[in-house]
Amino acid sequence: PLQVVTVPTAPYPDQIPGTSGLRKKVHVFQSRRYYLHNFVQSIFSSIDLRDRQGSTVVVGGDGRFFNQTAIQVIVQMAAANGVGRLIIGHHGIMSTPAISCVIRKYKAIGGIILTASHNPGGPEGDFGIKFNTANGGPAKEAITNKIFQISRSIEEFAICPGLHVDLTTLGRQTFDLENKFKPFTVEIVDSVDSYANLLRNIFDFAALKELLSGKNHISIRIDAMHGVVGPYVRRIFCEELGCPANSAINCIPLEDFGGQRPDPNLTYAADLVDSMKEGKYDFGAALDGDGDRNMVLGKHGFFVNPSDSVAVIADNIFCIPYFQQTGVRGFARSMPTSAALDRVAKATKIELYEPWGGSSFGNLMDAGKVGEIWKKLLYQGVEKQEGRRELKVVLIYFKKICLSYQIIVSIIQIHFNYLDPRYDYENVDIDAACEMMEDLESLICNKSFIKQRFAVKDNIFQVEKADSFEYTDPVDSSITRHQGLRILFTDGSRVIYRLSGTDTEGATVRIYIDSYEKEDIFEDTQVMLAPLATIALKISQLHQRTGRTGPSVIT
């Protein structure tokens, strides 16, 4: 029998897990003694012993550097903490949406996800770890707070140091432990199979196969950016739906994502954008490191904004077989997401919610307010302000929304015409960023700010409302504050300022601009919104306060 030991440790003050988990530079996990062990023990200790004893937990990651090392530690500690079974992705790899699927399939008490999402990988890059609960979604704030409080006072952790699992071989491995929690089982699974089965129950794969490989098939290009979704893309699109092998690129998961940042936007997926502009492909998409964010492109490189994307899906929701059977109970978008979805909700008389983040969406799902489908189809999707949707959104576009440049444009133009770019200022000095946000909040929340008028050339914008966004959960009445600063103008335009919570060094300041254009969307978005962008920068004094002259990324 393998020995279980208790190891003394000392707490770290900075293990604060948001809904995106704990993210740090790889060297932090490598160089600080028991840094990973402390956080993993805090996760297990946050679960009552009666609930975790003999339970099932899912483990997987995006394949980045340190992924397999961390999995071996998690296995050893899960065994020592009374977990009865671990379900782990083959080679330790499993996309974030697939983990949600597998948690629910195996009725696990939760899952540990090893990812830093779209952040850089490799030895000099980032690493992250987060906990999803039994409904498949991110842990609620009460749970992450509990984990943090435990991490601040932890004195010891339990581990089975002699236990080593083979991640390369599919199947079950059983271990005999020298304690009352035995036997301990690890199952290495092909998570692509589970995920593909889920998709088959939602979509008409026969129709998709005809569209992608039939007589009059379209040409597509999907860039997995050397992240976790590569095997999913190849299996589903190439092997099952019949797309040519060269339709899928960068599909081998790499620890450093090929030296590139696995962030699917016009800046970091520039190669895909360039290939789409040539006109050879009808449809393009790129997916991020852990598979829960995408970018959609039409022919000639027409960019489909994620906010438009979710609204288009909602407007064509009944082309999906699952919805034809179940109907739709409600729509939901995060606060920074454009109001394009609001127009669909108003036209269809379907309830719309504006939750603040992942766990808030989970509450709506569990209460049946936005429907069971969101757990299955878009669990890691519409809740994120960045418009994360991954493979399932790509599939949605294929069935009903035609993929030519003209038709994608016309659908968006007819229904929405929302211009909503996001300006990211990355790696800003964190003190300067926080001071700027504090001063900005004081400015816009002052009563005198209301009705102020700002003019740029012939454009005049008058403030109708301004606040620091807070969300009252309609399910449990909990209140979440300080989720972004909003300025709403009388013409319906919005400017939103937020600090990203996913950085491992410095800060990312994000400015969202949201405006409805009644006329024509063929004009360059940056040109059309230049006056509003000028006002957003003038109000915040961002360039002066941070020393930056322009954004790192525009999406």
Side-chain angles (χ1 to χ4, degrees):
L2 297 170
Q3 184 182 18
V4 173
V5 299
T6 300
V7 180
T9 189
Y12 291 95
D14 63 344
Q15 296 192 324
I16 306 173
T19 54
S20 296
L22 177 68
R23 292 186 184 177
K24 300 290 180 182
K25 287 293 182 183
V26 170
H27 69 78
V28 173
F29 288 92
Q30 289 180 315
S31 62
R32 296 187 185 179
R33 183 175 175 83
Y34 300 142
Y35 193 82
L36 173 66
H37 299 70
N38 280 18
F39 191 72
V40 172
Q41 183 62 59
S42 299
I43 291 175
F44 287 130
S45 296
S46 72
I47 306 168
D48 190 277
L49 178 60
R50 292 170 296 180
D51 294 326
R52 72 173 186 262
Q53 188 170 347
S55 66
T56 297
V57 173
V58 179
V59 180
D62 58 16
R64 66 179 57 234
F65 184 81
F66 199 64
N67 189 77
Q68 294 203 11
T69 301
I71 286 179
Q72 294 295 343
V73 171
I74 292 168
V75 171
Q76 293 170 353
M77 295 185 66
N81 276 275
V83 174
R85 177 173 67 160
L86 289 183
I87 307 293
I88 305 178
H90 197 204
H91 299 290
I93 292 177
M94 195 183 304
S95 77
T96 294
I99 288 177
S100 294
C101 165
V102 173
I103 288 172
R104 294 167 57 78
K105 175 181 177 181
Y106 289 94
K107 296 180 172 55
I109 63 168
I112 296 177
I113 307 174
L114 304 172
T115 179
S117 188
H118 54 284
N119 290 17
E124 304 303 318
D126 299 340
F127 188 76
I129 176 171
K130 66 178 181 178
F131 181 63
N132 277 21
T133 50
N135 66 5
K140 296 179 181 179
E141 190 172 12
I143 296 174
T144 57
N145 285 341
K146 185 177 181 180
I147 293 171
F148 176 51
Q149 293 305 321
I150 293 171
S151 76
R152 295 178 64 186
S153 59
I154 188 171
E155 296 180 348
E156 61 184 24
F157 61 85
I159 192 167
C160 183
L163 195 159
H164 182 83
V165 65
D166 177 8
L167 299 175
T168 66
T169 304
L170 293 171
R172 180 176 299 180
Q173 302 168 46
T174 302
F175 303 88
D176 190 18
L177 307 182
E178 196 176 60
N179 67 0
K180 60 183 177 180
F181 307 127
K182 60 181 183 180
F184 175 68
T185 302
V186 176
E187 293 182 37
I188 308 300
V189 300
D190 182 347
S191 64
V192 180
D193 279 343
S194 297
Y195 197 60
N197 288 332
L198 173 65
L199 297 182
R200 290 188 200 98
N201 292 329
I202 296 173
F203 300 105
D204 184 344
F205 265 39
L208 291 172
K209 187 170 184 177
E210 178 63 25
L211 179 66
L212 295 173
S213 58
K215 183 177 180 181
N216 298 309
H217 69 273
I218 62 171
S219 297
I220 69 170
R221 186 80 157 177
I222 301 181
D223 187 350
M225 304 189 82
H226 289 300
V228 71
V229 294
Y232 298 77
V233 169
R234 285 203 178 280
R235 178 85 61 85
I236 294 169
F237 285 98
C238 298
E239 296 178 18
E240 185 144 356
L241 298 178
C243 293
N246 62 3
S247 300
I249 60 174
N250 299 325
C251 285
I252 299 176
L254 299 176
E255 289 188 335
D256 65 348
F257 306 107
Q260 303 298 314
R261 181 163 181 162
D263 192 350
N265 57 47
L266 297 174
T267 299
Y268 296 118
D271 290 346
L272 174 67
V273 175
D274 291 341
S275 67
M276 290 298 299
K277 287 180 178 178
E278 296 172 0
K280 181 179 178 181
Y281 302 100
D282 299 297
F283 177 87
L287 301 109
D288 79 332
D290 67 323
D292 65 1
R293 178 183 302 200
N294 77 18
M295 176 179 69
V296 171
L297 298 170
K299 197 164 186 176
H300 303 301
F302 179 76
F303 174 68
V304 182
N305 191 289
S307 299
D308 286 327
S309 185
V310 70
V312 169
I313 292 167
D315 199 43
N316 293 273
I317 202 74
F318 293 109
C319 74
I320 303 171
Y322 184 93
F323 282 114
Q324 294 169 3
Q325 299 171 13
T326 65
V328 178
R329 300 176 189 174
F331 296 132
R333 65 166 178 82
S334 61
M335 179 270 289
T337 301
S338 88
L341 183 62
D342 304 39
R343 294 176 65 83
V344 179
K346 183 177 180 180
T348 57
K349 295 182 172 56
I350 293 175
E351 188 76 24
L352 176 76
Y353 301 92
E354 194 179 24
W356 69 273
S359 59
S360 301
F361 276 82
N363 275 3
L364 293 173
M365 297 170 197
D366 293 338
K369 292 184 179 295
V370 293
E372 175 74 8
I373 184 62
W374 299 122
K375 297 176 185 174
K376 296 183 176 181
L377 177 63
L378 297 176
Y379 208 113
Q380 298 298 328
V382 296
E383 74 269 23
K384 304 299 184 184
Q385 67 271 14
E386 293 87 357
R388 304 177 182 183
R389 272 164 300 283
E390 45 66 55
L391 285 180
K392 296 182 285 292
V393 153
V394 175
L395 288 174
I396 289 171
Y397 268 90
F398 289 147
K399 177 63 176 138
K400 172 82 180 257
I401 303 167
C402 298
L403 305 176
S404 71
Y405 170 85
Q406 293 84 359
I407 295 181
I408 284 184
V409 171
S410 65
I411 288 174
I412 295 173
Q413 185 175 15
I414 290 170
H415 294 294
F416 313 117
N417 276 30
Y418 265 89
L419 306 176
D420 50 351
R422 191 186 81 203
Y423 301 83
D424 286 0
Y425 291 78
E426 298 175 334
N427 200 24
V428 173
D429 179 80
I430 192 166
D431 292 332
C434 291
E435 288 177 9
M436 183 201 75
M437 292 293 287
E438 290 172 3
D439 291 345
L440 182 58
E441 181 174 356
S442 298
L443 173 68
I444 71 168
C445 292
N446 191 301
K447 291 182 179 180
S448 64
F449 188 73
I450 307 302
K451 296 187 178 180
Q452 282 197 30
R453 294 159 66 91
F454 297 89
V456 177
K457 296 182 179 180
D458 296 330
N459 301 276
I460 298 177
F461 297 87
Q462 183 173 10
V463 178
E464 180 176 355
K465 180 181 179 180
D467 62 14
S468 175
F469 179 74
E470 63 179 47
Y471 174 68
T472 301
D473 195 302
V475 179
D476 60 17
S477 299
S478 62
I479 300 175
T480 304
R481 297 182 171 87
H482 307 298
Q483 293 303 309
L485 303 178
R486 302 187 301 175
I487 302 174
L488 287 70
F489 298 96
T490 53
D491 69 343
S493 300
R494 299 188 306 169
V495 172
I496 296 165
Y497 306 88
R498 297 184 81 239
L499 286 182
S500 170
T502 62
D503 301 291
T504 58
E505 60 181 4
T508 295
V509 180
R510 288 176 172 161
I511 301 179
Y512 302 77
I513 294 177
D514 179 354
S515 182
Y516 181 68
E517 174 57 47
K518 296 180 180 179
E519 301 299 330
D520 195 347
I521 65 168
F522 288 89
E523 182 76 39
D524 184 85
T525 300
Q526 306 309 314
V527 174
M528 297 182 73
L529 291 182
L532 201 54
T534 299
I535 291 170
L537 291 171
K538 179 181 179 181
I539 293 173
S540 65
Q541 296 290 297
L542 187 146
H543 288 176
Q544 296 90 324
R545 299 292 298 268
T546 65
R548 302 295 288 274
T549 58
S552 311
V553 178
I554 300 176
T555 56

